[in-house]
């Protein structure tokens, strides 16, 4: 019998038929496998519910951290909530499905190397990962608009009731730091966030202007401060493994069909977190 594994995936974007088919075919290797889902399951609440229900029915435990796409308010979505209210709606949806969220107690994974605390995070971005030469948020945004590289979040991701996405990010950073500091001592962590916690993974972006929508300087030491055995993230659609201060950072996204189809090997869904 296959030993239980800690698995991770992100950026499923199930509104694409080819991605939806891959998710329909996704199954655990053992009855004890856990699945970490690092955001961007989809945009419509109906698609998000469909995918998380399917995964929760198959895996021993599913842990979800939201991406930016789940937080959009698309015109076609029957749920018209925005910002914080939309996030809270998704948290309750997950709880109804038995899926853990950043608002729930952190579970402990009993791995071959010992137990680790699995911490799903919801931390946005604050425009501090700016393009070269930009010293303010306004300059960074102007550079992106001039280059024609602007994240759809600027139209679709509403920060209500916060005055901006950067203010929402600041509130989430403060909340998350308090939760991580209060976790039971003595165990390493697996930090699961949609965005990379350090900026280095964004250096390979084709359009560096996009990095400002990819994270915040305020999380740069979290992998050290909170004893990370591994960090799991998505968002960039560049699946790979890097190391920062000796800690493995795994980008586990599927991405859009136009991105994964040209790759020489089929998508590795999901990825194994070796802790």
């Amino acid at each position: 019998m296959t030993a239980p594994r800690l698995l991770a995936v992100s950026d499923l974007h199930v509104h694409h038929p080819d991605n939806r088919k891959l998710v329909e075919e996704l199954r655990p290797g053992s009855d004890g496998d856990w699945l970490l889902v690092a955001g961007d399951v989809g945009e419509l609440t109906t698609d998000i519910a469909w995918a998380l229900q399917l995964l929760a029915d198959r895996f021993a435990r599913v842990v979800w951290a939201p991406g930016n796409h789940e937080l959009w308010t698309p015109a076609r979505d029957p749920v018209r909530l925005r910002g914080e209210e939309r996030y809270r709606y998704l948290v309750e949806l997950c709880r109804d499905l038995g899926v853990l969220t950043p608002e729930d107690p952190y579970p402990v994974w009993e791995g071959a190397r010992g137990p680790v605390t699995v911490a799903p995070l919801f931390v946005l971005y604050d425009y501090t990962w700016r393009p070269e030469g930009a010293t303010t948020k306004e300059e960074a945004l102007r550079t992106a608009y001039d280059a024609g590289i602007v994240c759809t979040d600027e139209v679709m991701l509403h920060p209500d009731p916060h005055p901006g996405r950067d203010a929402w990010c600041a509130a989430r950073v403060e909340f998350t730091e308090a939760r991580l500091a209060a976790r039971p001592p003595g165990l390493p962590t697996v930090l699961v966030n949609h965005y990379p916690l350090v900026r280095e993974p964004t250096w390979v972006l084709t359009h560096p202007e996009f990095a400002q929508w990819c994270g915040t300087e305020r999380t740069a030491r979290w992998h050290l401060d909170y004893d990370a055995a591994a960090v799991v993230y998505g968002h960039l659609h560049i699946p790979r493994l890097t190391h920062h201060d000796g800690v493995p950072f795994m980008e586990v996204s599927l991405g859009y069909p136009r991105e994964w189809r040209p790759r020489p090997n089929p998508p590795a869904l999901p990825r194994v977190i070796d802790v």
Side-chain angles (χ1 to χ4, degrees):
M1 179 179 294
T2 303
R5 299 171 301 169
L6 186 62
L7 306 169
V9 71
S10 75
D11 297 82
L12 294 172
H13 296 291
V14 298
H15 66 284
H16 291 282
D18 286 352
N19 285 26
R20 195 178 188 95
K21 184 174 185 295
L22 288 174
V23 173
E24 287 174 337
E25 296 171 351
L26 201 161
R27 283 176 171 77
S30 80
D31 291 341
D33 285 356
W34 286 22
L35 182 64
L36 313 179
V37 182
D40 279 9
V41 174
E43 293 83 35
L44 301 180
T45 51
T46 49
D47 284 343
I48 298 166
W50 170 82
L52 291 178
Q53 176 72 78
L54 181 146
L55 298 173
D57 287 345
R58 293 179 179 176
F59 288 83
R61 174 159 282 177
V62 174
V63 179
W64 170 79
N68 55 314
H69 282 235
E70 283 107 336
L71 299 173
W72 289 359
T73 305
R76 295 186 298 115
D77 198 320
V79 175
R80 305 308 305 150
L81 300 174
R82 294 161 51 125
E84 190 84 46
E85 287 188 342
R86 183 174 179 87
Y87 171 61
R88 297 295 168 179
Y89 173 89
L90 293 171
V91 167
E92 292 306 317
L93 170 66
C94 285
R95 287 172 170 170
D96 288 344
L97 299 174
V99 173
L100 295 180
T101 78
E103 307 306 308
D104 297 313
Y106 296 147
V108 173
W109 165 257
E110 297 287 348
R113 302 181 188 178
V116 294
T117 297
V118 176
L121 313 177
F122 169 32
V123 181
L124 282 158
Y125 49 82
D126 59 4
Y127 306 92
T128 52
W129 292 356
R130 298 169 186 146
E132 186 175 357
T135 59
T136 66
K137 170 186 172 181
E138 291 71 25
E139 289 177 356
L141 285 170
R142 189 180 311 118
T143 299
Y145 275 90
D146 288 347
I149 306 300
V150 180
C151 184
T152 307
D153 290 3
E154 293 297 311
V155 176
M156 300 283 284
L157 201 167
H158 306 285
D160 314 21
H162 306 277
R165 284 167 288 276
D166 47 350
W168 195 3
C169 174
R172 291 301 310 184
V173 166
E174 184 176 347
F175 170 82
T176 306
E177 286 178 333
R179 286 210 65 202
L180 288 169
R183 75 193 188 282
L187 295 184
T189 62
V190 173
L191 303 178
V192 186
N193 192 50
H194 182 61
Y195 306 95
L197 298 179
V198 298
R199 185 171 183 178
E200 285 86 343
T202 70
W203 295 131
V204 300
L205 290 173
T206 303
H207 301 288
E209 301 87 356
F210 191 75
Q212 62 192 294
W213 290 282
C214 295
T216 168
E217 291 179 348
R218 296 181 62 175
T219 62
R221 283 190 49 85
W222 281 14
H223 60 295
L224 298 173
D225 292 344
Y226 303 117
D227 306 313
V231 175
V232 174
Y233 69 99
H235 189 58
L236 304 184
H237 293 199
I238 307 172
R240 60 181 180 148
L241 171 66
T242 58
H243 290 79
H244 305 281
D245 302 301
V247 178
F249 279 60
M250 295 186 67
E251 210 278 18
V252 296
S253 62
L254 171 59
Y256 302 127
R258 60 178 164 78
E259 294 168 324
W260 58 257
R261 279 201 203 101
R263 294 172 188 156
N265 299 313
L269 293 180
R271 301 276 296 280
V272 178
I273 310 303
D274 185 18
V275 291

